[in-house]
Amino acid sequence: MKAAAASAGPGPAVPVPVPVVGAAAAAVSVAVSSSLNSFRAHKRYSRGLTIAEFKCKLELVVGSPASCMDLELYSADDRLLARLDRDEALLGSYPVDDGCRVHVIDGSGARVGEYEDVSRVEKYRMPESEYDKRAESARSFLKRRQLGRYAEAERRGAEQERRQAEERELADAIPLGARCRVRVPGQPAKLGTVMYVGLTDFKPGYWVGVRYDEPLGKHDGSVAGRKYFECQPKYGAFVKPASVTVGDFPEEDYGLEDEM
């Protein structure tokens, strides 16, 4: 059935919606525009929707509250066909067809572009601990296959294990109480006695605690509140095993004799 013409009067006649039969359940493809947004969405809706139901679906598209919408129907060549102003009427009772445009006029008082400003949208951020538990996540996939940054992490981990194994082998060959010579790059050689060999709390890896023959060290055998060995202040130091050579290194005579 065709829409009946409005009563005679000044201005163009606006179609009056009338009940539709037969095709009420058919779907129609329309463009959706809004007074608040610059974009247009293309959607498909059933002609059997009431205008009230139609507004609720449009709310998800343009962001305007359904209760604050006024709807206008435009033809494919952008001519105003009707105002969809009867909430109880069916969408199909208006001259809507494929290619038409439904324009939403927002009456909520929101500003133009408000629903396009994604910076104002609160975003959910999943805690790292929760994301790590997900077996089917992209991160889990990369970890299992050792891809991307996890391939580099695996390489660094293997390299660290190799260095630590080498350090342990060197440390195992250094006996406690042995005389030693310490050569640290950029510093003169120093003589002393091995007082500690092993892991520490202050840094990872294996370390050798040395009591120097002279006050050329940094501490008294204590670091960060933990006592590793006994010595006088400024006589103790920790060095890497590769810097230590064990051997027959007697204490030097510095010419300090009793005065006559």
Side-chain angles (χ1 to χ4, degrees):
M1 297 179 66
K2 296 184 179 180
S7 59
V14 177
V16 176
V18 295
V20 69
V21 294
V28 61
S29 296
V30 297
V32 179
S33 60
S34 169
S35 61
L36 291 181
N37 303 317
S38 59
F39 67 87
R40 291 189 182 186
H42 294 271
K43 299 289 182 179
R44 191 167 179 81
Y45 297 102
S46 169
R47 285 187 171 94
L49 290 172
T50 65
I51 298 303
E53 293 170 333
F54 184 45
K55 286 180 177 179
C56 291
K57 292 184 177 293
L58 291 176
E59 184 175 311
L60 302 176
V61 178
V62 300
S64 301
S67 59
C68 300
M69 289 182 185
D70 288 320
L71 305 183
E72 294 178 341
L73 179 65
Y74 288 83
S75 65
D77 57 1
D78 234 21
R79 290 181 297 105
L80 177 63
L81 297 178
R83 292 182 174 82
L84 313 185
D85 52 5
R86 294 181 58 197
D87 286 348
E88 70 280 6
L90 298 181
L91 178 60
S93 66
Y94 292 90
V96 59
D97 205 350
D98 289 344
C100 285
R101 176 170 63 92
V102 175
H103 183 63
V104 180
I105 301 173
D106 181 88
S108 66
R111 63 180 179 82
V112 175
E114 181 169 347
Y115 299 124
E116 295 179 280
D117 187 359
V118 296
S119 66
R120 296 164 58 91
V121 179
E122 184 177 355
K123 300 174 181 60
Y124 171 72
R125 296 187 181 276
M126 180 180 292
E128 289 292 315
S129 58
E130 290 297 320
Y131 187 66
D132 283 336
K133 295 177 183 177
R134 297 201 166 196
E136 301 304 321
S137 66
R139 179 180 298 175
S140 178
F141 175 82
L142 293 175
K143 281 183 177 180
R144 289 196 304 269
R145 301 298 179 88
Q146 295 299 315
L147 300 173
R149 62 189 178 97
Y150 297 103
E152 179 64 18
E154 177 72 9
R155 188 193 65 77
R156 289 197 302 267
E159 179 66 17
Q160 184 176 352
E161 288 181 5
R162 184 189 64 77
R163 287 198 302 266
Q164 186 158 327
E166 290 178 353
E167 277 190 356
R168 180 175 181 176
E169 186 176 350
L170 292 172
D172 288 344
I174 300 176
L176 288 174
R179 291 290 296 168
C180 67
R181 179 176 62 204
V182 175
R183 289 187 179 275
V184 176
Q187 299 181 18
K190 305 171 188 176
L191 299 180
T193 303
V194 176
M195 303 297 292
Y196 179 90
V197 179
L199 301 175
T200 66
D201 293 336
F202 57 84
K203 278 187 178 180
Y206 287 83
W207 294 84
V208 179
V210 178
R211 181 186 65 205
Y212 289 135
D213 295 344
E214 301 176 79
L216 302 174
K218 296 184 177 181
H219 48 71
D220 62 354
S222 299
V223 178
R226 177 180 170 182
K227 191 75 170 179
Y228 291 90
F229 59 90
E230 295 287 344
C231 71
Q232 295 175 281
K234 299 296 183 180
Y235 276 75
F238 278 96
V239 294
K240 281 297 185 180
S243 300
V244 178
T245 301
V246 173
D248 184 14
F249 299 108
E251 294 188 36
E252 293 183 2
D253 182 1
Y254 297 103
L256 301 177
E257 299 179 352
D258 292 337
E259 293 184 359
M260 299 296 293

